[in-house]
Amino acid sequence: MHPLKPALLSLAVAATSHAALAEEAPSTLFTEGKPILDARYRYEHVDQDNNLRHANAQTLRTRVGFQSGKWYGLSGLVEVDNVSRLGDAAYNSSRNGQTDYAMVVDPDGTEVNQALLRYDQAFGSAALGRQRINLDNQRFVGGVAWRQNEQTYDAALGQLKPLDGLTLTYAYLDNINTIFGPDNGRFDNRTNPANIEGHSHLFNAQYQVMPALTVTAYGYLLGLDNIAVTAASPLGSLSSATRGLRLNGALGGFSYALEYARQQDYADNPQDLDSEYYLAELGYVLKGVQLKGGYEVLGGDSGPGNRAFQTPLATKHLFQGWADQFLTTPADGIEDAYLGFTAPLAGGSLQAWYHDFASERGGDRYGDEIDLSYTRPIPGVKGLVGMLKYAHYDSADRTRTLDTEKFWAQLQYSY
């Protein structure tokens, strides 16, 4: 564990507790504060075409905490998560030793999810402690909120808004609390540690020129010391410097996004990295139905080891299909051509997506995927939302990917 990690967390917890409990603290810290209560039950089924047994996981994520009110722009937040298995452990959580089952990455445990001090003013904000960080569309930095144990960051983050429409963001990351936590367990977790240690710097400058054009320039310098891109790769092989430019906007029912990034090695990465990222996406809203199609490329590399374009801090479940076949970019890279829609239906929301996957180097087909989901508030219970979700991946190259089916049923209550 890096020596700054407990210092950052302890400072945030102590400062938040002091602000909330000290006798001289203004009453607004309490009267304008809000308790946090969130419970999410999920059943997840995984069927893969290999020798592993089908996974059937039932888990409950319970979140409690308190968001204080503001006093001269100062506020505090403390939030604790517990993930508990319900029923039999008929799945591999990555920590429970059930390695004859397919993977469902929701290990049991209790952890401080967030603990921070925050300062807000008209010109910007600053936050210190354990916190969520979601930048842009979360393609490079996100919280992976889909999994029961959210990814949060021990960090110092500042935002400045010197002009209308301009937001400048900088964050220093001391530690990443991953979805595989809170404990490493008894395994050698080179590719999925509970905590990723190191020193990382996030730079993001976003300027909304007009509703039809937002320009974002970014540089993400990731020094990730205790994680490897594959089990056979050296530690530090996910350290990288990613610099890119994104254009997006909406006009007259149409929306678009264009993006380019280049990734090179950084910090003590023993591998030489040099790969590229491309995105072109077009959307249209027709009578309440949101249509969208796109083409995303993460470049491969011909050198030894897997030196393809990687996104280790991304919310990856949002991209390249819900079956999560490509959480690590293959060495030959990946091209994802996708088409889908989101539509209102019977008081809820229906989504359907189709993906076609191929290698960036060589143009070999990996396979295709169909994703479906339906989300709807439960009548009569405020704050309760139900969801059904399905993913079917059909492999065209069984030496690289597997036929996979996943199904989820979920209930979530938020107070």
Side-chain angles (χ1 to χ4, degrees):
M1 179 182 296
H2 192 276
L4 283 181
K5 179 193 172 188
L8 278 172
L9 185 57
S10 298
L11 175 61
V13 172
T16 303
S17 301
H18 176 77
L21 299 176
E23 293 182 1
E24 67 271 23
S27 61
T28 55
L29 291 174
F30 291 107
T31 59
E32 296 180 2
K34 297 180 180 179
I36 297 168
L37 174 60
D38 183 281
R40 184 165 75 182
Y41 163 82
R42 177 181 292 162
Y43 167 75
E44 180 168 345
H45 171 78
V46 181
D47 178 359
Q48 292 180 317
D49 186 17
N50 57 15
N51 294 326
L52 296 176
R53 301 172 67 180
H54 300 171
N56 292 285
Q58 293 190 76
T59 56
L60 177 66
R61 197 277 311 282
T62 306
R63 175 175 294 163
V64 295
F66 184 75
Q67 168 68 66
S68 79
K70 291 183 180 179
W71 178 64
Y72 291 101
L74 287 170
S75 62
L77 170 66
V78 173
E79 186 178 80
V80 177
D81 282 2
N82 172 266
V83 179
S84 295
R85 169 179 57 84
L86 305 178
D88 295 335
Y91 62 99
N92 180 4
S93 74
S94 78
R95 296 295 187 267
N96 62 3
Q98 299 288 78
T99 54
D100 55 338
Y101 285 94
M103 187 84 76
V104 176
V105 185
D106 289 322
D108 292 352
T110 301
E111 186 174 33
V112 175
N113 193 53
Q114 294 193 90
L116 61 98
L117 266 180
R118 184 177 175 89
Y119 178 69
D120 290 280
Q121 285 295 335
F123 58 81
S125 63
L128 175 66
R130 182 166 295 181
Q131 57 192 286
R132 290 187 185 97
I133 301 180
N134 294 315
L135 297 181
D136 300 323
N137 63 345
Q138 302 185 48
R139 190 61 184 99
F140 299 108
V141 181
V144 200
W146 167 246
R147 297 270 36 120
Q148 296 286 55
N149 183 30
E150 184 181 14
Q151 178 169 280
T152 55
Y153 300 82
D154 296 344
L157 182 146
Q159 286 190 324
L160 291 177
K161 300 181 179 180
L163 303 172
D164 287 344
L166 177 62
T167 302
L168 306 176
T169 302
Y170 167 75
Y172 168 73
L173 311 183
D174 178 67
N175 180 76
I176 298 104
N177 311 283
T178 75
I179 62 173
F180 297 96
D183 301 313
N184 273 326
R186 59 184 183 275
F187 307 102
D188 179 15
N189 297 287
R190 295 172 59 85
T191 59
N192 57 5
N195 296 277
I196 303 176
E197 302 166 2
H199 305 279
S200 299
H201 305 271
L202 310 178
F203 300 89
N204 185 289
Q206 184 178 92
Y207 183 48
Q208 185 177 21
V209 182
M210 60 184 77
L213 176 61
T214 297
V215 180
T216 305
Y218 53 83
Y220 303 136
L221 312 180
L222 307 183
L224 309 177
D225 297 341
N226 64 323
I227 188 170
V229 64
T230 68
S233 300
L235 293 176
S237 51
L238 277 172
S239 295
S240 63
T242 301
R243 301 174 179 90
L245 183 69
R246 177 180 173 89
L247 309 177
N248 67 284
L251 181 65
F254 286 94
S255 62
Y256 73 93
L258 299 169
E259 191 166 357
Y260 170 81
R262 184 179 181 185
Q263 187 171 93
Q264 297 173 298
D265 51 285
Y266 177 72
D268 295 324
N269 192 332
Q271 297 182 343
D272 294 326
L273 306 184
D274 194 0
S275 54
E276 295 175 304
Y277 171 89
Y278 306 91
L279 172 70
E281 188 175 79
L282 182 64
Y284 183 65
V285 178
L286 178 64
K287 296 182 179 180
V289 178
Q290 300 178 17
L291 307 170
K292 187 176 290 185
Y295 182 69
E296 184 186 51
V297 179
L298 284 74
D301 192 288
S302 60
N306 187 342
R307 307 193 307 185
F309 195 108
Q310 304 293 339
T311 59
L313 303 188
T315 300
K316 300 177 188 179
H317 187 74
L318 293 175
F319 307 92
Q320 298 177 343
W322 299 337
D324 289 336
Q325 289 291 293
F326 303 102
L327 298 179
T328 298
T329 306
D332 286 331
I334 186 169
E335 298 177 350
D336 176 15
Y338 57 92
L339 181 67
F341 69 87
T342 302
L345 178 65
S349 178
L350 173 69
Q351 288 191 59
W353 297 93
Y354 173 77
H355 296 261
D356 186 80
F357 301 107
S359 64
E360 187 269 338
R361 295 180 61 251
D364 299 326
R365 287 198 70 239
Y366 291 137
D368 55 51
E369 180 171 330
I370 294 174
D371 297 323
L372 300 168
S373 78
Y374 181 67
T375 305
R376 188 184 191 280
I378 304 301
V381 184
K382 183 179 180 181
L384 184 63
V385 178
M387 184 195 70
L388 298 173
K389 189 170 176 177
Y390 174 76
H392 177 88
Y393 177 83
D394 185 14
S395 176
D397 184 350
R398 286 173 172 78
T399 64
R400 306 196 205 191
T401 61
L402 297 169
D403 289 347
T404 301
E405 281 190 312
K406 294 188 178 184
F407 172 76
W408 302 267
Q410 178 177 292
L411 280 174
Q412 182 166 0
Y413 174 77
S414 300
Y415 175 76

